[in-house]
Amino acid sequence: MNALDLLLNRRSVARLTTPAPEGDVLQHILAAGMRAPDHGALRPWHFVVMKGEGIDKFSQLLEKAAVEGKLGEEVEEKAKNAPYRAPMIITVIAKVVEHAKVPAWEQVVAAGCAVHAMQMAAVAQGFGGIWRSGSWTEDPVVKAGLGCGEDDKIVGFLYLGTPVLKAPTKVSMPDLTNFVSYF
Ligand SMILES: Cc1cc2nc3c(=O)[nH]c(=O)nc-3n(C[C@H](O)[C@H](O)[C@H](O)COP(=O)(O)O)c2cc1C
């Protein structure tokens, strides 16, 4: 797959199953995240890889957050089941620091670029994935459970695995004139 084909035609995949990326494939995914553009070479991110028992622990953590947040049985059930939508989840945390030249927003954007790079690296190696977020990214129980500091921000949960169905390849491209101007 060439780079342009990947960037233009890749699709997110919500239905994922085993196998998950492992070995060199996983290392390439993590290394792609590490190569995200990064003002000041701060590497303002941390990747939490969950697989197997890690997914079980994440399920328990989301359930605990729902219980402690008194969000009701329906949300508890949803929370508990959510992590099982893929055999691997990489949580990407922006580790934001005070910096004279690199404001917080740039560090969060850099961490977001890491999510995208990891998703692309997964697709390039024959796997599928989807970047998810939701209210759990802001939940204090979830943040503490994943080792976030006070200024850290969870920018996404990258669900990874093998697509259950062949991903639809047709991607519709919006009219560029609505999004682009030439100055
Ligand atoms: C920051 C961010 C958070 C997202 N959160 C979710 C989410 O929680 N659930 C979801 O279904 N899609 C979410 N998406 C969108 C999907 O990752 C995906 O981009 C979308 O389904 C469009 O599919 P495509 O990537 O094939 O164009 C999010 C995207 C971004 C950039």
Side-chain angles (χ1 to χ4, degrees):
M1 183 182 295
N2 75 40
L4 204 52
D5 188 33
L6 173 67
L7 290 172
L8 294 180
N9 296 314
R10 58 108 209 131
R11 296 300 307 268
S12 297
V13 182
R15 295 189 62 198
L16 296 159
T17 186
T18 52
E22 58 180 324
D24 282 352
V25 172
L26 178 58
Q27 293 311 307
H28 290 144
I29 290 170
L30 297 170
M34 291 300 295
R35 287 292 299 115
D38 168 19
H39 191 178
L42 296 176
R43 303 214 167 94
W45 49 64
H46 185 78
F47 309 144
V48 183
V49 181
M50 305 163 186
K51 187 188 166 189
E53 281 176 16
I55 298 273
D56 295 338
K57 271 170 30 190
F58 188 46
S59 160
Q60 288 152 18
L61 181 62
L62 294 189
E63 187 183 13
K64 181 175 171 226
V67 170
E68 291 189 12
K70 297 187 175 33
L71 301 178
E73 272 179 31
E74 203 177 312
V75 178
E76 282 170 32
E77 196 60 22
K78 225 175 141 187
K80 199 165 71 178
N81 292 330
Y84 294 105
R85 291 176 290 180
M88 174 173 282
I89 302 170
I90 302 179
T91 299
V92 177
I93 300 166
K95 307 288 291 184
V96 178
V97 294
E98 279 277 326
H99 192 282
K101 289 191 182 153
V102 189
W105 73 265
E106 290 192 6
Q107 299 176 44
V108 174
V109 168
C113 289
V115 182
H116 186 60
M118 289 196 281
Q119 184 176 352
M120 295 309 100
V123 176
Q125 296 177 100
F127 287 85
I130 183 165
W131 180 346
R132 295 185 186 274
S133 54
S135 57
W136 300 124
T137 59
E138 307 279 354
D139 187 281
V141 173
V142 175
K143 289 183 75 176
L146 293 175
C148 293
E150 206 174 307
D151 295 329
D152 295 352
K153 193 160 189 60
I154 296 175
V155 296
F157 304 110
L158 180 60
Y159 283 61
L160 294 174
T162 301
V164 172
L165 306 169
K166 199 174 174 303
T169 46
K170 271 269 162 273
V171 178
S172 66
M173 182 59 69
D175 184 352
L176 288 186
T177 55
N178 294 324
F179 296 88
V180 182
S181 57
Y182 296 88
F183 185 75

